[in-house]
Amino acid sequence: MVTINLAETSLRELNQQLHRIDPGANDRDFIVLNPRGAHAVAVGVDAPVNIEIKGSVGYYCAGMNKQASIVVDGSAGPGVAENMMSGRVLVRGDASQYAGATGRGGLLVIEGNASSRCGISMKGIDIVVKGNIGHMSAFMAQSGSLVVLGDAGDALGDSIYEAKLFVRGSVKSLGADCVEKEMRPEHVELLSGLLARAGISDIRPQEFRRYGSARTLYNFNIDNADAY
Amino acid sequence: MTYHNPPTTPRKSATFDDYTLSEIRRAAVTGIYDIRGAGAKRKLPHFDDLLFLGASISRYPLEGYRERCATDVVLGTRYAKKPIELKIPITIAGMSFGSLSAQAKEALGRGATLAGTSTTTGDGGMTQEERGHSEKLVYQYLPSRYGMNPDDLRRADAIEIVVGQGAKPGGGGMLLGQKISDRVAEMRTLPKGIDQRSACRHPDWTGPDDLEIKILEIREITDWEKPIYVKVGGARPYYDVALAVKAGADVVVVDGMQGGTAATQEVFIENVGQPTLACIRPAVQALQDLDMHRKVQLIVSGGIRSGADVAKALALGADAVSIGTAALVAIGDNDPMWEEEYRKLNTTAGAYDDWHEGRDPAGITTQDPELAARLDPIRAGRRLANYLKVMTLEAQTIARACGKNHLHNLEPEDLCALTIEAAAMARVPLAGTNWIPGQTPL
């Protein structure tokens, strides 16, 4: 176990240490103390390590993460796990806007609420939010899944491509080209797997409704001008 | 006696000219606004409206073929541990794989490397062809984040955060479905054959304060090694450059409205932004006001065609220029050798701009494997290198005539303007006068 105290160690030293992990090193577990809302904590990690951040973080925590399992034992500022490639990021508190933006892989779990633009332009990441999400979430979402146990705000999935959205609570409004879709057995199976990966065992997939693209805006057509 | 009305010559409207009439008819029939590539085609105040004042008695020229005139430039000296060192101050602008064929991207990499300069990725991400053949490669971090990958970020020599481009400040892009091959679809994480909308803004930041933190994140990921460029479309150059500097940019790229694009609305290309000539002095002014001129480097792009354009941009205060459309022409775009095929596409060599349709006879702006195979990347790379070297020689020739032993020693005092408009925009005197409109009394 390696402990890094950001009250004594600079952000640069922390990230440098995480970037220089020897593939054969025995120390695979890191504790980060006193993040105190710092931005860019544990960004660009590319190693199968466990990092626990004891406190709340600012912008872009775990940005572009690969392989690592990162836990934020607090809340996360904007852009947590942005463009994540693989691995797992868990936020025990709330997350601010753009959580998991443009993420390409891995799993982001938010135990509290997420703000607006959650999963914006997501490209393969899976996101599970136990609370609510704000407006414009999954805007232009390309692929991956967004699971929301609470409610979704306005314009969910606006201009969505192939991402799959599952919401257990209410949806204030759907964005352009986003429609409710049938929950077929393969979606129940997919959702079951996602809930299990997020450590959720007391909620059934059948409690969710599925949303996705109507695919009417996939190729430009002047007859759809009202939608633009 | 009978009087006959004499025949009159038919007169067409200057407002409703032939092109305008054809556009109205096309819109009425198809219901689609014109989408095209390239930059503004309308006549704009440009570098042609400036002239150099070669040395006579009051200034002392350098010997053309004997005395050295240096051309090197270092980009990213503000924060980056590894600034980019280039032999010439002419770089290749970002153009995406997807918009361009793999052969074209390889040719750009080969040509830039031969000439000692950098090339730049684009919306489609980084290809092996491009990385493999580019000694210096700038990786664009775009709003769409298509192909964004931290491994590629680390493999780059610099990172360019694209906020806007000259052809469409504030606008996104549209790569129509017909150009989406299997490879392009895979790189962009989208199904084959559907339109690829490139966002007009970054999804995970909303203003200059966010940009500052975004730059911090990218620097942390890349261990503060790579220069961070910020590219803006030339619309409000003073304020955008100042904010880019505040956000921590090592290099600012200002792309004027003659700057090209892969595909966007004609109405946007021709009606949004400011001419490149008008963008340079406000951008330089912002750097000077912040005491950052030459500390944060300025790259100017948008319609740069010749060594004279290069020398003029540098004289007005830029550290380097970037070329896109001209580089495509150098490797064979719109070449008259394909005239017969251009005719079949209802156009002519020199006017072909439907790059989004993927039917480029020259094999450059296409993903059709048969068309793309027409472009020999080695030969095309050589052509680009020749062109870059000629531009450099031209700029050196002018600089020597102005008595400068480095292109960066060119200055506004070496210039005068042919028109009042150009004099006002470039802030140099109207030829034959000491009058700089808006700066000095008439």
Side-chain angles (χ1 to χ4, degrees):
Chain A
M1 179 85 71
V2 179
T3 301
I4 300 162
N5 186 348
L6 280 178
E8 299 166 352
T9 305
S10 69
L11 177 77
R12 185 77 286 270
E13 288 173 273
L14 165 68
N15 284 324
Q16 207 156 29
Q17 191 169 345
L18 295 173
H19 293 174
R20 290 180 179 168
I21 295 166
D22 189 326
N26 290 324
D27 289 328
R28 315 302 274 181
D29 298 297
F30 295 79
I31 301 272
V32 179
L33 303 176
N34 291 306
R36 298 178 297 182
H39 306 317
V41 174
V43 293
V45 180
D46 186 8
V49 295
N50 301 304
I51 302 165
E52 184 161 3
I53 301 161
K54 296 286 193 183
S56 295
V57 291
Y59 280 63
Y60 304 125
C61 178
M64 301 193 201
N65 179 56
K66 276 179 78 180
Q67 303 190 71
S69 176
I70 300 174
V71 175
V72 178
D73 203 1
S75 291
V80 63
E82 72 90 14
N83 218 94
M84 181 159 73
M85 304 295 288
S86 63
R88 178 187 166 100
V89 174
L90 169 65
V91 179
R92 292 208 191 281
D94 298 322
S96 186
Q97 52 193 350
Y98 348 119
T102 75
R104 309 180 75 86
L107 176 68
L108 168 64
V109 179
I110 297 163
E111 295 200 335
N113 301 310
S115 183
S116 62
R117 301 170 177 230
C118 181
I120 188 167
S121 287
M122 52 193 284
K123 295 171 166 61
I125 190 175
D126 292 319
I127 304 173
V128 178
V129 181
K130 293 188 180 179
N132 307 319
I133 59 170
H135 66 270
M136 288 294 277
S137 290
F139 175 63
M140 290 177 81
Q142 294 179 209
S143 68
S145 299
L146 172 62
V147 180
V148 184
L149 275 60
D151 302 330
D154 269 321
L156 177 70
D158 193 289
S159 301
I160 188 172
Y161 287 100
E162 292 292 296
K164 296 176 174 62
L165 313 181
F166 302 97
V167 182
R168 182 163 166 256
S170 65
V171 174
K172 194 166 182 189
S173 69
L174 293 174
D177 212 30
C178 185
V179 293
E180 184 174 351
K181 294 188 161 185
E182 180 191 2
M183 276 285 272
R184 296 196 298 269
E186 65 265 32
H187 304 119
V188 171
E189 186 182 345
L190 171 69
L191 184 51
S192 296
L194 286 166
L195 292 170
R197 284 170 62 204
I200 298 166
S201 56
D202 56 342
I203 291 173
R204 297 183 314 118
Q206 289 80 2
E207 297 175 36
F208 291 78
R209 299 166 84 168
R210 181 170 75 97
Y211 303 89
S213 178
R215 302 189 176 104
T216 58
L217 303 182
Y218 274 19
N219 292 97
F220 184 83
N221 183 332
I222 193 64
D223 294 334
N224 293 328
D226 290 345
Y228 294 109
Chain B
M1 192 172 189
T2 305
Y3 291 95
H4 297 284
N5 286 334
T8 58
T9 302
R11 182 182 181 191
K12 289 185 176 175
S13 167
T15 304
F16 288 88
D17 60 14
D18 283 347
Y19 175 73
T20 304
L21 294 173
S22 70
E23 278 301 293
I24 292 171
R25 291 188 196 103
R26 191 196 48 72
V29 170
T30 64
I32 301 173
Y33 44 44
D34 188 24
I35 290 178
R36 69 168 174 86
K41 294 188 173 184
R42 64 191 294 172
K43 184 163 176 57
L44 294 164
H46 200 25
F47 294 113
D48 287 342
D49 301 318
L50 301 180
L51 297 173
F52 276 102
L53 306 171
S56 294
I57 298 176
S58 56
R59 294 271 180 132
Y60 182 81
L62 299 186
E63 197 64 58
Y65 293 96
R66 302 299 297 271
E67 291 181 284
R68 182 168 172 72
C69 177
T71 64
D72 58 297
V73 61
V74 184
L75 301 171
T77 54
R78 186 184 186 190
Y79 291 121
K81 286 187 210 166
K82 296 180 179 176
I84 286 199
E85 297 178 14
L86 303 178
K87 290 180 184 169
I88 60 173
I90 311 165
T91 67
I92 306 300
M95 290 175 276
S96 72
F97 170 73
S99 170
L100 301 189
S101 63
Q103 288 86 339
K105 290 299 279 180
E106 180 182 332
L108 294 174
R110 286 178 178 274
T113 300
L114 281 170
T117 190
S118 62
T119 186
T120 311
T121 65
D123 232 331
M126 186 187 290
T127 64
Q128 189 49 43
E129 291 92 335
E130 189 172 33
R131 176 64 278 186
H133 293 286
S134 302
E135 187 184 339
K136 298 276 194 303
L137 180 60
V138 182
Y139 187 44
Q140 285 195 329
Y141 188 76
L142 291 128
S144 72
R145 310 278 168 84
Y146 290 138
M148 180 57 215
N149 186 320
D151 295 337
D152 292 338
L153 208 64
R154 295 187 185 97
R155 291 200 301 157
D157 298 292
I159 294 144
E160 181 170 290
I161 299 174
V162 179
V163 182
Q165 64 182 105
K168 46 183 176 181
M174 178 81 90
L175 187 62
L176 294 183
Q178 54 261 47
K179 280 183 83 169
I180 312 302
S181 65
D182 288 331
R183 186 178 176 192
V184 174
E186 184 186 345
M187 286 183 72
R188 299 191 183 211
T189 329
L190 282 167
K192 185 178 178 181
I194 67 169
D195 301 341
Q196 319 253 300
R197 301 184 292 261
S198 295
C200 69
R201 59 178 188 262
H202 284 264
D204 58 352
W205 53 270
T206 54
D209 292 338
D210 283 5
L211 172 59
E212 185 173 350
I213 303 167
K214 172 56 70 177
I215 289 175
L216 168 71
E217 183 208 9
I218 294 172
R219 283 214 170 95
E220 281 296 319
I221 288 171
T222 55
D223 291 323
W224 290 72
E225 290 182 347
K226 330 273 184 193
I228 307 290
Y229 300 11
V230 174
K231 179 177 179 176
V232 296
R236 295 178 182 85
Y238 182 87
Y239 297 105
D240 288 339
V241 168
L243 288 170
V245 170
K246 180 204 172 271
D250 292 299
V251 176
V252 182
V253 184
V254 175
D255 192 24
M257 76 177 283
Q258 292 99 323
T261 181
T264 200
Q265 303 95 325
E266 154 105 357
V267 70
F268 211 138
I269 296 172
E270 297 289 359
N271 295 285
V272 183
Q274 294 203 58
T276 304
L277 181 63
C279 293
I280 303 177
R281 293 308 293 276
V284 172
Q285 186 72 53
L287 293 170
Q288 290 171 336
D289 288 352
L290 295 165
D291 193 25
M292 282 291 172
H293 192 216
R294 307 300 188 200
K295 297 173 188 169
V296 169
Q297 286 77 40
L298 174 67
I299 299 177
V300 168
S301 55
I304 303 284
R305 308 150 299 176
S306 66
D309 290 352
V310 175
K312 288 169 185 173
L314 266 51
L316 294 177
D319 295 278
V321 301
S322 201
I323 61 169
T325 303
L328 297 187
V329 173
I331 65 172
D333 183 65
N334 270 291
D335 195 302
M337 73 181 285
W338 303 110
E339 180 61 27
E340 197 177 322
E341 297 197 40
Y342 286 123
R343 293 281 182 195
K344 290 178 189 167
L345 297 172
N346 294 319
T347 185
T348 185
Y352 177 66
D353 58 18
D354 286 327
W355 298 345
H356 55 289
E357 292 181 350
R359 296 187 290 167
D360 184 356
I364 293 170
T365 58
T366 183
Q367 292 299 314
D368 182 315
E370 288 186 18
L371 294 173
R374 292 177 174 183
L375 187 74
D376 177 349
I378 297 173
R379 189 180 301 169
R382 183 72 238 177
R383 286 174 55 148
L384 175 61
N386 286 344
Y387 171 58
L388 289 167
K389 288 176 181 176
V390 167
M391 290 176 91
T392 306
L393 285 169
E394 289 174 342
Q396 286 173 299
T397 297
I398 289 170
R400 285 194 188 95
C402 294
K404 312 296 165 132
N405 66 358
H406 197 295
L407 292 182
H408 286 150
N409 293 343
L410 287 163
E411 56 191 325
E413 280 199 7
D414 293 316
L415 293 165
C416 68
L418 280 171
T419 67
I420 295 173
E421 289 85 353
M425 291 177 190
R427 302 183 193 174
V428 299
L430 184 67
T433 77
N434 291 320
W435 180 42
I436 304 175
Q439 307 286 317
T440 61
L442 182 61

